[in-house]
Amino acid sequence: MDRPRYSWPDGKRSAACFSVDVDAEAPYLWANRTGLPPYLGQLEQRRFGPREGIWRILDMLDRVGVKGSFYVPSVVAELHPDLLPALCARGHEVGLHGHLHEVVSETTDDQFTAALDHSLQVFQRQTGSAPVGFRSPAWEMTSAMLAVLKDRGLRYDSSLMGYDHPYQIGGLVQVPVQWQIDDAIYFKFQGGGADRWPPEPARVVEDSWRDEFQAGRDYGQLFTITVHPWISGRAQRVTMLDRLLSDIAAQDDVWFATAGQIADWHLSAHDGRFVAEPGLDLLTAVLETSA
């Protein structure tokens, strides 16, 4: 069966998006929402992001001439009120990422809606406009969440992986992600022996990401890198990102864009194509008939 190839603006061969999840203190607050422990190690590690890491990443993006999409939990915006205005002033996109980086499996629909509405109010107040994009904490999503996002006027979500180019699901554009080009699975280490050790050297990850970018070009892939300032704001990793993004941006057949621009392109050029449905009713029926 012939499958349609995804097309990009101006006949570009593939596309790239640099995305940043500005988690900072939010996951720590969610994990300890019943009461904070007295320890400072993990908290201070995360605070490196808003203090140093994000500014190093922003300076790096200025050097390579790339605009990114930054997904910020609203509690982080409240704790660091200069952050969202600074991101907007430097020409980057800001999107929603929950309030306390709520874990989907631990959050009711009502709690999700309340967090979303609070986030929208914070972003509107701090930036003067409503964001158009959402990324779910830990990249999980439900049909009910998609419906609420659509009801609140969001245009896209960036949490799922059903294609390696944009598609539509639940009435929203999906700007897909990939675990293998997320920094956390290679670099995240918080001590205590629970995480992998040692973290990968930055050059090893750079080689892997270059291989994925080059291989994906043959398929017209969207290459969505995801980093976290408290992880990839460290010196060796920022330097690696500088090299990698500079080389990708220099390719004249690659469209480097924000997730919002990519969602707009999909709606203008592919609306009604590459549509997926959650299909949970069908899968439930299959299970029932197989029981």
Side-chain angles (χ1 to χ4, degrees):
M1 179 180 69
D2 291 333
R3 292 177 296 172
R5 183 180 178 87
Y6 197 89
S7 64
W8 295 106
D10 302 320
K12 299 291 187 181
R13 184 178 176 188
S14 63
C17 177
F18 184 77
S19 69
V20 184
D21 291 356
V22 192
D23 294 350
E25 301 96 338
Y28 185 84
L29 292 172
W30 175 258
N32 296 286
R33 59 193 179 279
T34 59
L36 293 176
Y39 313 112
L40 294 178
Q42 290 191 25
L43 185 56
E44 281 294 289
Q45 188 178 5
R46 287 186 168 278
R47 283 172 167 166
F48 178 85
R51 289 175 181 161
E52 291 284 353
I54 195 165
W55 310 108
R56 294 178 183 179
I57 289 171
L58 286 170
D59 289 345
M60 178 272 297
L61 292 175
D62 284 348
R63 288 194 298 273
V64 302
V66 165
K67 300 302 182 185
S69 296
F70 289 72
Y71 300 95
V72 185
S74 55
V75 72
V76 175
E78 291 174 318
L79 289 169
H80 308 278
D82 295 336
L83 181 58
L84 289 183
L87 293 172
C88 293
R90 294 175 80 152
H92 300 288
E93 177 190 15
V94 293
L96 302 175
H97 198 41
H99 175 58
L100 291 177
H101 199 272
E102 294 82 4
V103 175
V104 172
S105 61
E106 302 171 1
T107 306
T108 68
D109 291 343
D110 288 344
Q111 288 172 326
F112 171 78
T113 301
L116 177 64
D117 288 342
H118 181 79
S119 297
L120 286 167
Q121 293 171 7
V122 171
F123 274 61
Q124 183 72 47
R125 183 171 64 250
Q126 292 192 0
T127 70
S129 61
V132 300
F134 178 85
R135 174 170 285 171
S136 176
W139 288 348
E140 188 51 272
M141 180 57 61
T142 69
S143 298
M145 291 167 63
L146 289 172
V148 175
L149 293 175
K150 183 179 180 182
D151 180 71
R152 296 302 191 270
L154 277 294
R155 288 207 297 273
Y156 79 87
D157 172 61
S158 182
S159 311
L160 300 176
M161 312 180 196
Y163 284 92
D164 57 12
H165 58 68
Y167 62 105
Q168 287 167 277
I169 184 168
L172 292 177
V173 176
Q174 185 64 221
V175 179
V177 290
Q178 285 195 57
W179 281 116
Q180 67 175 326
I181 40 180
D182 177 287
D183 64 347
I185 67 171
Y186 302 101
F187 299 139
K188 183 179 177 181
F189 182 79
Q190 295 177 276
D195 299 313
R196 60 178 295 145
W197 182 261
E200 293 285 356
R203 282 196 178 272
V204 171
V205 176
E206 179 182 358
D207 288 344
S208 174
W209 287 1
R210 285 181 185 276
D211 287 347
E212 177 62 22
F213 167 70
Q214 292 292 351
R217 296 174 76 185
D218 292 336
Y219 298 97
Q221 173 178 281
L222 169 61
F223 184 76
T224 304
I225 297 175
T226 301
V227 304
H228 302 74
W230 71 276
I231 297 174
S232 284
R234 299 289 179 175
Q236 178 189 142
R237 296 163 191 166
V238 172
T239 301
M240 177 272 280
L241 290 171
D242 194 320
R243 290 192 300 265
L244 178 64
L245 297 187
S246 294
D247 289 348
I248 293 175
Q251 307 299 313
D252 59 10
D253 61 353
V254 178
W255 183 42
F256 225 127
T258 67
Q261 291 171 327
I262 291 165
D264 288 344
W265 165 254
H266 184 87
L267 288 172
S268 67
H270 295 285
D271 191 20
R273 301 174 66 222
F274 304 105
V275 177
E277 295 300 330
L280 294 181
D281 291 341
L282 174 61
L283 294 179
T284 299
V286 169
L287 288 175
E288 291 174 347
T289 58
S290 301

